[in-house]
Amino acid sequence: MNTQSIPQGAFAQDAALAAYWLDLLWRAVETADTLRQRAANMAEHEAAGMPPLLHFESEQIADGHDLEPPCNYRLLRVTRCGSDALERHVRKGAAPVMVVDPRAGHGPGIGGFKRDSEVGMALLEGHPVYFVVFDPEPAEGQTLGAVVRTLAVFIDLLAARHRNQRPIVYGNCQGGWALMLALSHCRHRAALAVLNGSPLSYWAGERGVNPMRLLGGFTGGTWPAHWLSDLGGGTFDGAWLVQNFEALRPEGVFRKYDTLFAQPGLERERFLEFERWWNGFYFLGGQEMLAIARDLFVGNLLEDGKVVVDEHCHADLTSVRTPLVIFSSYGDNITPPHQALGWLPAIYPSTEALVAAGQRIVFLTHREVGHLGIFVSADVARREHRAILHHAQSIERLAPGLYQMLLEDAPSAEAAPRARFEARRVEDLQFDPAPAGFDNVKAVSDGLERIYAQWVSPAVKAVMRPEIARPWRAAHPMRASRMLWSERAVPALAWLPWASDCLERLGAADPKRANNPWYRLERAGADAVAQAWTSWRTLRDLWAEWTFEQTYAVWPSFQVGRDGAILNKASSTPSHSCGHQSHECQ
């Protein structure tokens, strides 16, 4: 027996443990300093007025505040791509591309966040590029109709600037359905409309996978949005929407911070870059948000052509004649293919009906990328988005019908992927756009909203005037939890950069930590925690589906009377939910 091996082994274990604890201390300090820097970036961004976070230089072309009714949207022209100079690829006579970012709590910029983005790929394909941004605050009295009308004006403006050549419009999430409303608004036209992760069938989804569609049933419908808007002095804080996104997949939030903690040296800049956008919370108009919740996400009125745009028009998807590309992912639990494509069989009962309407619709699906990955992933930008733009003219020339876009490898690293378009039938889209129970949610929502609007809202508005509501914005959990790491909140945090630098100079950071058995044990524990969060979230979502079905799907159909009472349709006379009639465009 070799007696010397035991002390040597013990010494090696002690050395590994000591190295692990020193590295752990440095990683904890560096992670805390990153969170301190995030708070500083957030405060700096807010102090600057939260400008769009575009990677590209631009100039303003039009301002929605100058239109009637006014809107906080602005149209920018991309002029330069820094040292990459992608603008040199722009071809004379190429169709302009207009990118519309989602307005769902965050600020604009995600479609042009970096070189390999939708904006970058459009420039690389030779298109002059325009970007639609919006201000942090809505225009006074801003409505959904004002937003739709502004986008329609921008589409017409670009056609006029480019010798009547219609633009390719690129809509991300909310930007996609807003563009569809604009294209159906008195029959405006574009050369091609690309809808990326954009919901149009709001009740559709897969059981246990897409629980966000059930939210209206658990909150009582639209009255909470009305209440929060009243508390905000007439504006709806987008931080509430971002909080919903984080609650949707808690294991993702854990992984975000755990990844930073595991490798703070490698992840710091990436984390800060993304968080600068993620934590830039914008506001929506109160009436605008109420219309979005009532008519779209709870009411699902778009498929039936009942969304009133203004006093002249209402949205009718059958009137859209612009060719469509619908890009969605099965890894997207916010806008799955069910919501992106489920509206098609609802308004086109057969493939023959789609062909008779003269419409061309191409869909493209991804197996696993998440909702944000559709917009920000460099790999998705270089493959899917470049392919869409590269083959745009081929799509426009397709015969009327439904097609699936299938991508093949590019012939070289610099070239766009090849694509083929295979004809599909509308009847083969097995997405139920109207599952049981959601019509009852709408009935309950209408009833509670009328009660709130009549009896509670006036009192809340009288107390929460804008000048009183504004100072309370900083108390929102999404802001407070970030700013808690600010030096203003905890002055001692100012020492973190010095502490991190000292530990690094002392060699506390272990570049070979991946080989340390204690570090590997820590990572195994982190994986177990993430899996526990995933299991809990899965059980939560299944419980939500069961509770929703037991609460709403087992009821008979209901409707709401003029006094807010919920009536059984089988024994009551139908009544209208509004006092005016929508009119078709003349």
Side-chain angles (χ1 to χ4, degrees):
M1 178 178 180
N2 186 357
T3 58
Q4 298 297 321
S5 62
I6 296 177
Q8 289 176 358
F11 176 78
Q13 290 180 3
D14 291 344
L17 182 60
Y20 169 75
W21 280 114
L22 281 173
D23 182 65
L24 178 69
L25 177 61
W26 175 80
R27 287 188 288 126
V29 172
E30 184 67 11
T31 298
D33 185 55
T34 302
L35 299 180
R36 179 201 60 80
Q37 187 61 52
R38 178 181 68 175
N41 292 348
M42 187 174 174
E44 179 185 4
H45 192 214
E46 290 180 353
M50 292 197 289
L53 297 175
L54 274 174
H55 175 75
F56 305 84
E57 297 177 25
S58 61
E59 63 179 4
Q60 183 171 305
I61 300 299
D63 189 342
H65 288 94
D66 299 330
L67 303 176
E68 187 59 41
C71 173
N72 69 339
Y73 279 54
R74 293 180 289 120
L75 180 63
L76 308 181
R77 183 178 75 88
V78 174
T79 58
R80 193 166 180 268
C81 179
S83 59
D84 293 311
L86 292 181
E87 65 279 0
R88 73 181 186 275
H89 295 283
V90 174
R91 294 176 282 108
K92 184 178 180 180
V97 171
M98 184 178 85
V99 179
V100 183
D101 254 4
R103 186 158 165 258
H106 307 98
I110 203 68
F113 202 51
K114 48 193 172 183
R115 177 195 182 276
D116 290 340
S117 60
E118 296 165 354
V119 171
M121 294 303 102
L123 289 172
L124 196 60
E125 285 298 318
H127 297 277
V129 180
Y130 297 80
F131 203 91
V132 175
V133 299
F134 37 87
D135 297 332
E137 299 281 349
E140 185 176 356
Q142 181 168 309
T143 64
L144 178 60
V147 172
V148 172
R149 185 176 180 84
T150 298
L151 291 176
V153 169
F154 288 171
I155 292 172
D156 292 344
L157 176 62
L158 289 185
R161 283 177 61 91
H162 290 266
R163 300 182 179 181
N164 293 323
Q165 186 170 16
R166 297 190 180 105
I168 297 171
V169 292
Y170 228 85
N172 296 324
C173 191
Q174 176 269 347
W177 60 252
L179 279 173
M180 284 293 283
L181 292 176
L183 292 171
S184 70
H185 177 71
C186 295
R187 295 176 172 81
H188 286 265
R189 294 288 297 272
L192 181 69
V194 183
L195 313 179
N196 301 304
S198 300
L200 292 172
S201 187
Y202 301 91
W203 293 350
E206 185 176 350
R207 178 184 173 86
V209 178
N210 310 118
M212 185 171 280
R213 63 201 174 100
L214 311 177
L215 186 61
F218 290 98
T219 61
T222 60
W223 76 266
H226 195 168
W227 176 55
L228 291 173
S229 298
D230 290 344
L231 290 177
T235 59
F236 183 88
D237 193 342
W240 293 111
L241 301 177
V242 182
Q243 182 173 284
N244 282 345
F245 295 149
E246 291 201 344
L248 189 63
R249 186 163 283 183
E251 70 272 21
V253 178
F254 171 79
R255 279 295 192 191
K256 178 173 69 172
Y257 291 103
D258 179 62
T259 301
L260 173 65
F261 175 69
Q263 297 285 351
L266 295 175
E267 294 294 328
R268 177 185 174 97
E269 293 306 318
R270 182 205 60 80
F271 178 88
L272 290 174
E273 180 185 31
F274 177 78
E275 290 292 294
R276 187 186 291 270
W277 173 77
W278 184 256
N279 296 295
F281 307 121
Y282 278 45
F283 295 83
L284 293 86
Q287 291 303 312
E288 176 188 10
M289 183 62 205
L290 186 58
I292 292 172
R294 180 191 63 231
D295 296 344
L296 300 180
F297 289 93
V298 174
N300 197 36
L301 301 180
L302 188 55
E303 294 174 353
D304 298 328
K306 296 179 181 178
V307 176
V308 178
V309 176
D310 56 30
E311 66 273 14
H312 301 296
C313 301
H314 65 267
D316 180 7
L317 296 181
T318 61
S319 70
V320 177
R321 291 294 179 265
T322 297
L324 304 178
V325 175
I326 301 172
F327 178 28
S328 60
S329 172
Y330 285 97
D332 183 352
N333 65 338
I334 294 177
T335 306
H338 310 65
Q339 294 189 3
L341 298 168
W343 62 280
L344 289 174
I347 70 169
Y348 297 111
S350 66
T351 305
E352 289 69 27
L354 176 63
V355 172
Q359 180 58 300
R360 296 170 298 285
I361 298 177
V362 174
F363 68 92
L364 172 67
T365 57
H366 196 284
R367 279 189 170 186
E368 57 189 25
V369 70
H371 187 69
L372 286 177
I374 292 176
F375 322 128
V376 303
S377 169
D379 291 338
V380 171
R382 289 190 292 265
R383 182 172 172 82
E384 279 79 8
H385 291 303
R386 187 171 183 190
I388 290 170
L389 292 162
H390 184 78
H391 299 285
Q393 291 186 344
S394 299
I395 295 171
E396 295 174 39
R397 291 194 294 265
L398 289 172
L402 177 67
Y403 300 87
Q404 183 174 6
M405 184 177 185
L406 301 172
L407 301 184
E408 301 173 354
D409 292 338
S412 66
E414 296 77 21
R418 298 187 180 95
R420 68 181 192 274
F421 303 92
E422 296 189 358
R424 297 286 186 259
R425 295 193 61 80
V426 173
E427 295 86 345
D428 294 333
L429 295 177
Q430 301 297 319
F431 302 131
D432 184 3
F438 285 89
D439 52 347
N440 289 328
V441 173
K442 180 180 181 302
V444 171
S445 174
D446 290 345
L448 294 178
E449 165 59 22
R450 290 184 184 182
I451 293 171
Y452 175 81
Q454 182 174 356
W455 299 104
V456 183
S457 180
V460 178
K461 288 179 179 178
V463 175
M464 298 302 295
R465 297 185 299 275
E467 61 272 18
I468 295 177
R470 188 174 295 272
W472 284 97
R473 292 177 174 180
H476 191 285
M478 292 295 291
R479 291 189 183 86
S481 62
R482 272 64 173 173
M483 297 310 295
L484 185 64
W485 291 92
S486 170
E487 300 164 32
R488 299 177 185 177
V490 184
L493 294 176
W495 289 89
L496 284 173
W498 174 84
S500 176
D501 184 62
C502 287
L503 287 169
E504 195 164 2
R505 287 175 181 271
L506 290 172
D510 185 3
K512 299 180 179 180
R513 64 176 65 94
N515 298 325
N516 191 308
W518 296 101
Y519 179 81
R520 292 199 297 267
L521 181 62
E522 173 201 294
R523 293 295 87 212
D527 291 341
V529 172
Q531 184 57 51
W533 274 114
T534 301
S535 300
W536 177 85
R537 187 258 305 164
T538 301
L539 290 174
R540 179 201 65 182
D541 295 348
L542 291 173
W543 173 87
E545 292 277 359
W546 181 86
T547 304
F548 182 90
E549 290 178 358
Q550 296 302 310
T551 306
Y552 294 103
V554 298
W555 290 6
S557 296
F558 284 83
Q559 68 178 32
V560 180
R562 292 183 181 276
D563 58 355
I566 300 176
L567 307 172
N568 191 316
K569 285 185 180 180
S571 58
S572 63
T573 303
S575 60
H576 297 286
S577 59
C578 59
H580 66 276
Q581 182 179 3
S582 302
H583 297 281
E584 292 279 2
C585 300
Q586 300 298 321

